[in-house]
Amino acid sequence: MNDLEMYREQLAFCDDKIIDALVERNAIIEKIMAYKETYGMPILQPAQEQKQQRRLDEKLRDNKYRDEIQDVFKRILRNSKRIQARKLFSYNIVLIGFMGAGKTTISDYLSMMFDMKLVEMDQEIAEREEMSIPDIFATYGEEYFRSLETNLLKELQTGKNCIISCGGGVALREENVIEMKKNGRVVLLTASPETIYDRVKDSNDRPLLKDNNNVEFIADLMEKRREKYEAAADVVIQTDGKSILQISEELITKLTELDEK
Ligand code: S3P
């Protein structure tokens, strides 16, 4: 055997070790999840994630291949998240609720923590139409926008394990709710009119609030929509005074409980 053949054999041996280590690592991820579930512990532990990252940074500080190895670890961590997400949610998570209820914020966070695909409906529609939501309303009217929402929602039912953040009006159409439930569990986020006002008062991208950005109008429209929102929801989460992490944990717990029922 010449040297080259020997190196190739050594490389194959290394690859086998990497595979074994990854299989072992993934099995440990599953054990951690099972442990957290048994003891009712929070699934999301961002502080632990940061600790893990610091440990890696420290260990690789003077390593000649630091950047390459960090890159591989990014993928490994991402895949661990996917393993968790697939185990927890074999369906789409559909977030509904009034403007400013926190749908975008919570879906961004969940998508990051579980590396799940995210579709922000308003954003997707604006990109496809190459127009902002206020411009779509002003140019084509609300009905046109509502049909775009329905079509997009229908299209999204071909996939699973995705987070769908709906615009505030999506759950008001019965046909949309039927679509959401085909592959998804529907999570309603709620907040008091005062909290909503506080969250939306500085934004200009909500045509319905354009000339009505005040607590009374919000309270009134919210009350008009309440029944439909509640009828669509599989779980409801009240968000006033809670952190993103608290809301997300509550969401995971409530969705997991649905499966146990
Ligand atoms: C709407 C909510 C908005 C956007 C549009 C109409 C509504 O989305 O779809 O302005 O009818 O409540 P957000 O809830 O994400 O603000």
Side-chain angles (χ1 to χ4, degrees), residues 97-100 103-104 120 122 133 137 145-146 149 166-169 205-208 225 229:
F98 202 78
M99 295 168 262
K103 297 166 300 219
T104 305
E120 227 279 315
D122 279 349
I133 303 296
F137 268 67
F145 173 73
R146 298 300 178 201
E149 289 185 319
C166 297
D205 54 6
R206 294 180 167 103
L208 297 182
R225 290 179 169 191
Y229 281 155

Side-chain angles (χ1 to χ4, degrees), residues 113 174 184 204 260:
M113 292 305 277
E174 205 169 325
N204 295 317
E260 284 160 8

Side-chain angles (χ1 to χ4, degrees), residues 100-118:
K103 297 166 300 219
T104 305
T105 309
I106 298 302
S107 43
D108 277 348
Y109 186 71
L110 286 175
S111 131
M112 179 191 66
M113 292 305 277
F114 288 115
D115 197 46
M116 285 169 82
K117 184 172 175 253
L118 164 65

Side-chain angles (χ1 to χ4, degrees), residues 184-217:
R185 304 274 154 82
V186 181
V187 178
L188 169 62
L189 300 182
T190 66
S192 69
E194 290 75 15
T195 301
I196 297 281
Y197 174 68
D198 214 48
R199 292 178 187 163
V200 303
K201 63 179 185 296
D202 299 321
S203 99
N204 295 317
D205 54 6
R206 294 180 167 103
L208 297 182
L209 299 180
K210 193 165 152 260
D211 302 314
N212 304 299
N213 210 342
N214 58 69
V215 175
E216 294 68 36
F217 180 85

